[in-house]
Amino acid sequence: MIKRKLLGLLGASFLTLATVSPVMAAPAPSPASGNTREAVTSEAIAPLIKEAATANGFSERLVLWDVQEGSIQVGITEPTGRERAALQKALPLPVRVTNEEPIEDMVKRTKVDGPVAIETVPSKGKPGAEQSPSLMAATASPPLIDSTPYYGGARIVRTYSSGGSNYVTQCTAGGVYTSGGSRVMATAGHCGPNGAHWYQGYRDPADGRVYVSGSMGNTYASHYGGGAIDAAMISGSSYAPSIWTSSTSSLPIAGQAAVGHGTSVCTGGSFTGFVCGGTVDLVDICVNYTDGNTVCGQDRANAAYRLVQSGDSGGPTVVNNGGSSASMAGIISGGTASGTSVYFTHINRVVNTLGVAVARY
């Protein structure tokens, strides 16, 4: 039954693959038969994996899956031998089961009592720019308080009410793209729905107030969950194709990076800061978030130290070009509780799905 469903998903060209015993090595790919990674994608295989997970009681521990050359990797939190056997029986390719930590989105959402006070404050301005006395006296620095044109890596914040409660959401600006001749700013789709209004600024946990430099703009083209990518764009302000690397330094964006297994990346979340040394080990996979949403088009990078934490969602993932510039690799989406693994939306998926291009300095 499951294999017949797979044929309906992938088409008749997959017939020879579907009849291979799951415990045997798959035949060599043949372009003529359609038996390629392009024919069997993580998205296409998702219904089968989810059905097997539900039938065998591990849907809440299902973390990720990836169709590789001739095999399928399925990541489960604390998998059992029975679950491994069930997956190999259900799926048409050899299955490799790995033990994976749960993946959380990296939004920082705070429930608050009553309306939130919003105060506009001056920024210290861009590095190297002439500073007026008021800017020199400013106490808040990037990425907390930026100045226009806004850079990637700056903190973004919005306030809203839902179900009778008030919330403050903080995420990160993900870098500048072009759309229809205009510059727009990226962030994660799960940070807010279409039409959400963002300030450039932050919430101070000490006094609960929100301090802003101005309006970052409104979300549009938001994608998240249901097997879609995790990305969105913001328009309505002035943006420049650079990313913050500290409160006093930045890197210009040189274009789009080529990202694959072994690529070294840097993350630019506004809470963790600019951190380099993450190594990509999974490319273009599907993941299940702890909030129940399935997101595809994700890459993973790992390090021995923290790369990401709550509030970094939407921030830029880049390849550092020797400290002179950076090339865009994607948009921060999620991570493990330790932050040593970061999941980000692959740059090709961002530009192709949203119809944008990476802005260059």
Side-chain angles (χ1 to χ4, degrees):
M1 176 64 71
I2 290 178
K3 291 179 180 177
R4 287 199 296 272
K5 290 182 179 179
L6 180 63
L7 292 177
L9 290 166
L10 302 180
S13 64
F14 194 56
L15 179 60
T16 58
L17 177 63
T19 56
V20 173
S21 170
V23 297
M24 297 174 59
S30 169
S33 69
N35 181 9
T36 64
R37 181 178 171 84
E38 287 71 28
V40 191
T41 64
S42 297
E43 286 97 328
I45 210 77
L48 296 179
I49 292 177
K50 288 190 170 185
E51 182 175 338
T54 299
N56 292 278
F58 61 90
S59 58
E60 292 186 357
R61 291 182 289 112
L62 177 63
V63 177
L64 59 84
W65 55 96
D66 176 30
V67 179
Q68 302 176 9
E69 190 83 21
S71 67
I72 302 170
Q73 176 182 350
V74 181
I76 306 172
T77 301
E78 298 181 353
T80 66
R82 174 179 172 275
E83 291 159 357
R84 287 187 176 92
L87 283 166
Q88 289 199 338
K89 182 178 180 181
L91 299 176
L93 289 173
V95 176
R96 181 168 63 93
V97 177
T98 56
N99 184 19
E100 303 289 347
E101 294 182 65
I103 307 169
E104 306 169 5
D105 65 40
M106 290 291 110
V107 66
K108 191 173 186 65
R109 188 177 294 109
T110 306
K111 186 176 180 180
V112 296
D113 295 327
V116 178
I118 298 175
E119 181 178 341
T120 301
V121 296
S123 166
K124 288 184 178 296
K126 305 297 187 190
E130 183 177 350
Q131 302 293 301
S132 67
S134 63
L135 292 181
M136 292 175 66
T139 57
S141 300
L144 298 181
I145 294 293
D146 198 357
S147 60
T148 55
Y150 292 128
Y151 287 179
R155 183 79 52 84
I156 59 176
V157 59
R158 75 183 186 102
T159 63
Y160 65 100
S161 297
S162 177
S165 298
N166 298 304
Y167 298 88
V168 177
T169 292
Q170 296 178 89
C171 282
T172 302
V176 180
Y177 294 73
T178 59
S179 176
S182 299
R183 287 180 174 177
V184 294
M185 181 67 78
T187 193
H190 69 258
C191 285
N194 287 328
H197 178 72
W198 293 97
Y199 293 99
Q200 192 291 302
Y202 69 103
R203 176 182 182 269
D204 189 332
D207 60 17
R209 297 174 68 89
V210 170
Y211 296 93
V212 306
S213 67
S215 172
M216 179 62 77
N218 297 320
T219 299
Y220 78 96
S222 180
H223 294 258
Y224 180 65
I229 67 169
D230 183 14
M233 292 293 155
I234 298 172
S235 65
S237 190
S238 175
Y239 318 107
S242 287
I243 59 169
W244 289 109
T245 56
S246 74
S247 62
T248 58
S249 63
S250 60
L251 283 175
I253 296 301
Q256 182 173 326
V259 183
H261 294 89
T263 300
S264 180
V265 297
C266 307
T267 52
S270 62
F271 280 80
T272 304
F274 190 72
V275 183
C276 293
T279 302
V280 174
D281 72 329
L282 293 176
V283 177
D284 202 16
I285 66 172
C286 291
V287 301
N288 266 354
Y289 279 81
T290 55
D291 65 4
N293 282 290
T294 299
V295 180
C296 293
Q298 296 279 290
D299 298 348
R300 181 175 74 181
N302 304 300
Y305 41 82
R306 182 176 290 279
L307 296 169
V308 67
Q309 65 182 291
S310 178
D312 290 342
S313 277
T317 305
V318 302
V319 172
N320 190 342
N321 302 320
S324 61
S325 66
S327 297
M328 201 67 70
I331 298 172
I332 295 173
S333 177
T336 54
S338 65
T340 56
S341 292
V342 60
Y343 292 79
F344 59 96
T345 305
H346 191 92
I347 186 60
N348 291 349
R349 292 301 198 99
V350 176
V351 299
N352 293 335
T353 303
L354 277 63
V356 296
V358 175
R360 299 168 180 260
Y361 223 96

